[in-house]
Amino acid sequence: MATTMNLGKAELMTSAQKDMNTKLTTTDWTDRQKLALTCRSLFDAGHDSGLAGQISARGEQPGTFLTQQLGLGFDEITDSNLLLVDEDLQVLEGSGMPNPANRFHSWIYRARPDVNCIVHTHPLHAAALSMLETPLQVSQMDVTPLYDDCAFLPDWPGVPVGNEEGEIISAALGDKHAILLAHHGQLVVGATIEEACSLAHLIERAARLQLLAMAAGEIKPLPPRLAQEAHDWTLTPRRSDANFQYYARKALRSHPDAITTS
C-alpha cells in the first residue's frame, strides 16, 4: 500500500534529496580526468570553436590551476596533456604553453574562493545571443539552475589577455555562477568540476532556447518563487554529480582516449 500519497511537496523533495545523497553512485575520477572528460563532452555538445575557450580547475597548491595547452582543441584534451600553471601562467607541470587569455581565470579565482572550476567557451548559440547584447533569459524548467544566476557584461573589453579584462570580467561575474559576455561567449564557474561542466551544458541550451523563442514571439517570464525553488532544487552537488557522470559516460563511449591513466 502506498505511504507517500498524502505527503506535501516539501516532504517529498526532502525525501528525494536524501535518496540522491545515499543512492546515486559515482565514479571516483581524478581532477585531470574530470577536466578531460568535460572538454570532450562539451566538444560534442557544440562548444568547439577552434582553439578558442579555456577550462581550468584549482590545483592542490594555492595560486595554481590545471588548464589545457594552447594549440589543442577540446577534442584533443587528455588527463595527461593538461598543464599545471601559476597565476602568472608559468608552467609548473607539463609541456607547451597555456592560452594567454587564461589570465582572467587568475582574477576570478582570487575574487571567488568558492570557485574551483571555470569553463569559458564560444558555443554557437551563446555566441549568437551575445551578438544581440541581450542578457540570458531563463524561462524554461530544464535551465532553471541558471535562474537569477547569470550575469551579463554588455561591453566587449577586447581580447582578454590583459589584467584589465581580468578585473572587468571578475567584477561583472560578481557572485553568480555564470555570465554572458557580449560579442564574445559564455563563462560558468562551479564549486566543483562537475558543477561547472553541468552549467556549461545548460547555458548553451538556454541560449538556444532563447533564440528559438525570440524568433517565435515574446518570452514570458517564470513565476519568481517557483523558478527560485527549481534553481535551488536542481543546483545541488548530487545533481551536478549525476549530470557529470552521464556526460562522462557519454564522452567515454565516443572518446576512450581522453583517459590515459588508471
Side-chain angles (χ1 to χ4, degrees):
M1 180 177 294
T3 60
T4 61
M5 302 304 288
N6 293 321
L7 296 180
K9 183 177 181 179
E11 292 176 283
L12 291 170
M13 291 175 71
T14 298
S15 176
Q17 186 63 56
K18 181 179 179 181
D19 284 345
M20 282 189 278
N21 288 336
T22 58
K23 295 181 180 179
L24 287 178
T25 59
T26 59
T27 301
D28 190 22
W29 306 108
T30 67
D31 283 356
R32 285 177 172 271
Q33 290 170 336
K34 291 175 187 177
L35 285 178
L37 292 169
T38 296
C39 286
R40 300 303 185 98
S41 176
L42 292 176
F43 177 86
D44 289 344
H47 285 248
D48 59 305
S49 183
L51 302 181
Q54 317 93 34
I55 187 169
S56 68
R58 285 191 195 268
E60 293 182 0
Q61 298 301 316
T64 67
F65 57 87
L66 293 165
T67 190
Q68 86 273 27
Q69 296 179 37
L70 181 64
L72 297 180
F74 269 32
D75 58 323
E76 299 177 302
I77 304 304
T78 70
D79 55 340
S80 59
N81 65 26
L82 289 163
L83 304 176
L84 181 70
V85 302
D86 62 19
E87 289 185 318
D88 294 317
L89 305 186
Q90 297 301 303
V91 176
L92 304 176
E93 293 179 12
S95 60
M97 67 175 287
N99 189 327
N102 269 99
R103 180 166 297 276
F104 73 82
H105 291 231
S106 295
W107 283 88
I108 292 173
Y109 285 128
R110 280 194 171 195
R112 293 282 300 275
D114 60 308
V115 167
N116 290 299
C117 183
I118 300 169
V119 179
H120 167 59
T121 56
H122 306 169
L124 186 65
H125 299 93
L129 183 62
S130 80
M131 294 167 63
L132 302 176
E133 297 185 356
T134 299
L136 188 74
Q137 187 171 348
V138 175
S139 190
Q140 195 271 335
M141 184 177 70
D142 296 347
V143 294
T144 51
L146 291 165
Y147 178 77
D148 195 28
D149 212 351
C150 183
F152 180 58
L153 180 60
D155 301 313
W156 181 53
V159 179
V161 297
N163 288 313
E164 297 87 351
E165 289 78 19
E167 291 182 281
I168 291 169
I169 293 172
S170 60
L173 176 65
D175 63 356
K176 305 293 188 184
H177 275 93
I179 185 169
L180 184 68
L181 306 167
H183 305 287
H184 192 169
Q186 70 80 30
L187 182 145
V188 298
V189 300
T192 62
I193 298 170
E194 291 89 337
E195 184 175 69
C197 175
S198 182
L199 290 173
H201 278 277
L202 284 182
I203 196 170
E204 169 64 355
R205 177 172 174 80
R208 183 180 182 186
L209 285 170
Q210 182 169 340
L211 290 169
L212 288 170
M214 288 169 62
E218 180 184 356
I219 298 176
K220 307 299 182 182
L222 291 171
R225 180 184 65 82
L226 294 177
Q228 189 63 51
E229 176 186 74
H231 169 279
D232 297 345
W233 167 250
T234 52
L235 193 62
T236 62
R238 292 303 283 171
R239 283 272 186 171
S240 295
D241 287 348
N243 288 335
F244 176 80
Q245 293 296 319
Y246 166 67
Y247 295 134
R249 291 193 304 271
K250 189 176 179 182
L252 274 174
R253 287 195 292 269
S254 301
H255 309 283
D257 63 311
I259 304 301
T260 62
T261 57
S262 57

Coordinates of all heavy atoms in Angstrom, one line a residue, residues 50-80:
G50 N 37.4 26.1 -32.7 CA 38.8 26.1 -33.0 C 39.6 26.0 -31.7 O 39.3 25.1 -30.8
L51 N 40.5 26.9 -31.4 CA 41.3 26.9 -30.2 C 40.8 27.9 -29.2 O 41.4 28.1 -28.2 CB 42.7 27.2 -30.6 CG 43.4 26.2 -31.6 CD1 44.8 26.6 -31.8 CD2 43.3 24.8 -31.1
A52 N 39.6 28.5 -29.4 CA 39.1 29.5 -28.5 C 38.5 28.8 -27.3 O 38.0 27.7 -27.3 CB 38.0 30.3 -29.2
G53 N 38.5 29.5 -26.2 CA 38.0 29.0 -24.9 C 39.0 28.3 -24.1 O 40.0 27.9 -24.5
Q54 N 38.7 28.3 -22.8 CA 39.6 27.7 -21.8 C 38.8 26.9 -20.7 O 37.6 27.3 -20.5 CB 40.5 28.7 -21.1 CG 41.1 29.7 -22.0 CD 40.3 31.0 -22.0 OE1 39.6 31.3 -21.0 NE2 40.2 31.6 -23.1
I55 N 39.4 26.0 -20.1 CA 38.9 25.3 -19.0 C 40.0 25.3 -17.9 O 41.2 25.1 -18.3 CB 38.4 23.9 -19.3 CG1 37.7 23.3 -18.1 CG2 39.5 23.0 -19.8 CD1 36.9 22.0 -18.4
S56 N 39.6 25.4 -16.7 CA 40.6 25.3 -15.6 C 40.0 24.8 -14.3 O 38.8 24.9 -14.1 CB 41.3 26.7 -15.4 OG 40.4 27.6 -14.8
A57 N 40.9 24.3 -13.5 CA 40.5 23.8 -12.1 C 41.6 24.1 -11.2 O 42.8 24.0 -11.5 CB 40.1 22.4 -12.1
R58 N 41.3 24.6 -10.0 CA 42.3 24.9 -9.0 C 43.2 23.7 -8.8 O 42.8 22.5 -8.7 CB 41.7 25.2 -7.6 CG 41.1 26.6 -7.6 CD 40.7 26.9 -6.1 NE 39.8 28.1 -6.0 CZ 40.2 29.3 -5.9 NH1 41.5 29.6 -5.8 NH2 39.4 30.3 -5.8
G59 N 44.5 24.0 -8.6 CA 45.5 22.9 -8.3 C 45.5 22.7 -6.8 O 44.8 23.4 -6.0
E60 N 46.3 21.7 -6.3 CA 46.4 21.4 -4.9 C 47.1 22.5 -4.1 O 46.8 22.8 -3.0 CB 47.2 20.1 -4.7 CG 46.4 18.9 -5.3 CD 47.2 17.6 -5.1 OE1 48.3 17.7 -4.5 OE2 46.7 16.5 -5.4
Q61 N 48.0 23.2 -4.8 CA 48.7 24.3 -4.1 C 48.1 25.7 -4.4 O 47.6 25.9 -5.5 CB 50.2 24.4 -4.6 CG 51.0 23.1 -4.2 CD 51.0 22.8 -2.7 OE1 51.2 23.7 -1.9 NE2 50.8 21.6 -2.4
P62 N 48.0 26.6 -3.4 CA 47.4 27.9 -3.6 C 48.0 28.6 -4.8 O 49.2 28.5 -5.0 CB 47.6 28.6 -2.3 CG 47.8 27.5 -1.3 CD 48.5 26.4 -2.0
G63 N 47.2 29.3 -5.6 CA 47.7 30.1 -6.7 C 48.1 29.3 -7.9 O 48.8 29.8 -8.8
T64 N 47.6 28.0 -8.0 CA 47.9 27.2 -9.1 C 46.6 26.7 -9.7 O 45.6 26.6 -9.0 CB 48.8 26.0 -8.8 OG1 48.1 25.1 -7.9 CG2 50.0 26.5 -8.1
F65 N 46.6 26.4 -11.0 CA 45.4 25.7 -11.6 C 45.8 24.9 -12.8 O 46.8 25.1 -13.4 CB 44.3 26.7 -11.9 CG 44.6 27.8 -12.8 CD1 44.5 27.7 -14.2 CD2 45.0 29.1 -12.3 CE1 44.8 28.7 -15.1 CE2 45.3 30.1 -13.2 CZ 45.2 30.0 -14.6
L66 N 45.0 23.8 -13.1 CA 45.1 23.0 -14.2 C 44.4 23.6 -15.4 O 43.3 24.2 -15.2 CB 44.6 21.6 -14.0 CG 45.3 20.7 -12.9 CD1 44.4 19.6 -12.5 CD2 46.6 20.2 -13.5
T67 N 45.0 23.5 -16.6 CA 44.3 24.0 -17.8 C 44.9 23.3 -19.0 O 45.8 22.6 -18.9 CB 44.5 25.6 -17.9 OG1 43.6 26.1 -18.9 CG2 45.9 25.9 -18.2
Q68 N 44.3 23.6 -20.2 CA 44.7 22.9 -21.4 C 45.8 23.7 -22.1 O 46.0 24.9 -21.8 CB 43.5 22.6 -22.3 CG 43.2 23.8 -23.3 CD 42.2 24.8 -22.7 OE1 42.2 25.0 -21.5 NE2 41.5 25.5 -23.6
Q69 N 46.6 23.0 -22.9 CA 47.6 23.6 -23.7 C 47.0 24.4 -24.8 O 46.1 24.0 -25.5 CB 48.5 22.5 -24.3 CG 49.3 21.7 -23.4 CD 50.1 20.6 -24.2 OE1 50.6 20.9 -25.2 NE2 50.2 19.4 -23.6
L70 N 47.6 25.6 -25.1 CA 47.3 26.3 -26.3 C 47.8 25.5 -27.5 O 48.9 25.0 -27.5 CB 48.0 27.7 -26.3 CG 47.7 28.6 -27.5 CD1 46.2 29.0 -27.6 CD2 48.6 29.8 -27.5
G71 N 46.9 25.4 -28.5 CA 47.2 24.6 -29.7 C 46.4 23.3 -29.8 O 46.4 22.7 -30.8
L72 N 45.8 22.9 -28.6 CA 44.9 21.7 -28.6 C 43.5 22.1 -28.5 O 43.1 23.0 -27.7 CB 45.3 20.8 -27.4 CG 46.7 20.2 -27.4 CD1 46.9 19.4 -26.2 CD2 47.0 19.4 -28.7
G73 N 42.7 21.5 -29.3 CA 41.2 21.7 -29.3 C 40.6 20.8 -28.1 O 41.3 19.9 -27.6
F74 N 39.4 21.2 -27.8 CA 38.7 20.4 -26.7 C 38.6 18.9 -27.0 O 38.6 18.1 -26.1 CB 37.3 21.0 -26.4 CG 37.3 22.1 -25.4 CD1 38.4 22.9 -25.2 CD2 36.2 22.3 -24.6 CE1 38.4 24.0 -24.3 CE2 36.2 23.3 -23.6 CZ 37.3 24.1 -23.5
D75 N 38.6 18.6 -28.3 CA 38.5 17.2 -28.6 C 39.8 16.4 -28.6 O 39.9 15.2 -28.8 CB 37.9 17.0 -30.1 CG 38.8 17.8 -31.1 OD1 39.3 18.9 -30.8 OD2 38.9 17.3 -32.2
E76 N 40.9 17.2 -28.2 CA 42.2 16.6 -28.1 C 42.8 16.5 -26.6 O 43.9 16.0 -26.4 CB 43.2 17.3 -28.9 CG 42.9 17.3 -30.4 CD 43.9 18.2 -31.2 OE1 44.0 19.4 -30.9 OE2 44.5 17.6 -32.1
I77 N 42.0 17.0 -25.7 CA 42.4 17.1 -24.3 C 42.4 15.7 -23.7 O 41.4 15.0 -23.8 CB 41.6 18.1 -23.5 CG1 41.6 19.5 -24.2 CG2 42.1 18.2 -22.1 CD1 43.0 20.0 -24.4
T78 N 43.5 15.4 -23.0 CA 43.5 14.1 -22.2 C 43.9 14.5 -20.8 O 44.4 15.6 -20.5 CB 44.5 13.1 -22.8 OG1 45.8 13.6 -22.6 CG2 44.3 12.9 -24.3
D79 N 43.8 13.5 -19.9 CA 44.2 13.8 -18.5 C 45.7 14.0 -18.4 O 46.2 14.7 -17.5 CB 43.8 12.6 -17.6 CG 44.3 11.3 -18.1 OD1 44.6 11.2 -19.3 OD2 44.3 10.4 -17.2
S80 N 46.5 13.5 -19.3 CA 47.9 13.6 -19.2 C 48.5 14.8 -20.0 O 49.7 15.1 -19.8 CB 48.6 12.3 -19.8 OG 48.2 12.1 -21.1

